[in-house]
Amino acid sequence: MAPYVTAIYAALLGLLAVTLSTIVMANRRRAGVTLGEGDDPRLRRAIRVFGNFTEYVPTALILIGLLEASGGPRLWLHVLGVALLAGRIAHAIGLSRNSGASAGRNVGVLLTNLTLIGASVALLIVALPKL
Amino acid sequence: MAVPVISAFYGGLLGVLAIVLAVLVINQRRRTHVGIGDGGDQRLALAGRAFGNFAEYAPLALALFALLELCGGPRLVVHLCAGGFVVGRIAHAIGITGNAGPSTGRAIGVVLTFVPMLVAAIWLVIITAPAVFR
């Protein structure tokens, strides 16, 4: 059985990654900064939205994919996938608007970390007995 | 579960490229004696961004290619996506190492990063949606 559930969330997150990266490039062109962050606040925020995404999403997806490959329950996979996707969208919206704390950013951080914790604990539960 | 050998092959190439880019950063750090950050050195900053940009895209892209292969995506599409991505990352690394501004290598790199990721992501949505929502 192929990891279809992970695949669909990975695909949606892949589209989000390309979108966030395109926003960085648009801001680079607008601000005329080709390397590094420069002093432009909107460019700096766009870079951190994409940067934070790339720091967490690959690990989370690999954990969810391993859970699916290890025979984890479908419902868990969907809950983790939806939480990760919703968290990344909330984080992107929150941080794009201002650099300080915001509801979107808090929700994003919470959902991202819950996904990592949930997937890790679920993997331990599913995989440890099979060692 | 089947083994995603095509993605594994290109994954191996990307792993080698990651090490090469990391060694280039280490060389610049030794030359400039800058342990963290870029210390205002242009060549260290460029090497850092060549590696950083690779690290931002390669894990997610490779996961997409492997999932596409595992979920029954056409072999040719997996080869084109993963092979194109490898070429794109090499082009981007060469372009950005040469100078900080826009360059042909960097432009090719961006296109050959985005197009394979978009194709793999959209293809995955199309082939997995019936299995997920049945």
Side-chain angles (χ1 to χ4, degrees):
Chain A
M1 179 68 183
Y4 287 118
V5 179
T6 306
I8 198 142
Y9 293 108
L12 297 174
L13 288 161
L15 296 176
L16 181 56
V18 171
T19 305
L20 297 178
S21 177
T22 304
I23 294 172
V24 173
M25 289 195 295
N27 275 289
R28 282 198 182 286
R29 267 198 292 273
R30 181 186 54 75
V33 178
T34 56
L35 187 80
E37 300 193 341
D39 299 321
D40 185 80
R42 275 165 63 198
L43 173 57
R44 292 178 74 113
R45 286 203 298 270
I47 288 172
R48 281 315 302 155
V49 169
F50 177 65
N52 191 281
F53 181 99
T54 63
E55 283 158 7
Y56 288 99
V57 170
T59 307
L61 271 180
I62 288 170
L63 290 173
I64 296 171
L66 286 171
L67 185 62
E68 186 167 11
S70 309
R74 266 173 89 87
L75 180 63
W76 289 12
L77 300 171
H78 279 293
V79 168
L80 292 168
V82 167
L84 181 61
L85 186 59
R88 295 327 304 179
I89 293 170
H91 186 273
I93 293 172
L95 187 52
S96 301
R97 290 188 177 158
N98 71 79
S99 304
S102 63
R105 204 171 166 186
N106 289 340
V107 169
V109 169
L110 184 67
L111 285 177
T112 303
N113 282 295
L114 283 178
T115 306
L116 284 173
I117 295 166
S120 299
V121 172
L123 260 183
L124 288 173
I125 293 169
V126 169
L128 269 183
K130 296 182 182 175
L131 278 183
Chain B
M1 192 183 291
V3 177
V5 283
I6 301 171
S7 305
F9 170 72
Y10 292 106
L13 296 181
L14 289 171
V16 172
L17 182 56
I19 300 291
V20 170
L21 294 175
V23 168
L24 292 176
V25 176
I26 294 168
N27 285 344
Q28 293 299 325
R29 291 206 178 284
R30 290 166 63 116
R31 180 182 63 79
T32 55
H33 300 288
V34 175
I36 197 165
D38 62 31
D41 184 83
Q42 176 83 344
R43 279 165 64 198
L44 174 54
L46 292 173
R49 280 315 301 156
F51 176 73
N53 194 279
F54 177 93
E56 283 159 6
Y57 291 100
L60 182 59
L62 191 56
L64 289 172
F65 305 149
L67 286 166
L68 181 61
E69 188 173 0
L70 284 168
C71 294
R75 283 174 61 93
L76 180 63
V77 175
V78 178
H79 270 295
L80 288 176
C81 284
F85 185 81
V86 171
V87 172
R89 295 326 304 177
I90 293 171
H92 186 275
I94 293 172
I96 203 170
T97 309
N99 73 79
S103 63
T104 310
R106 206 171 164 184
I108 293 171
V110 169
V111 171
L112 283 182
T113 296
F114 276 31
V115 172
M117 288 180 76
L118 278 175
V119 169
I122 292 168
W123 209 292
L124 270 175
V125 171
I126 293 169
I127 64 178
T128 59
V132 173
F133 300 106
R134 66 192 143 88

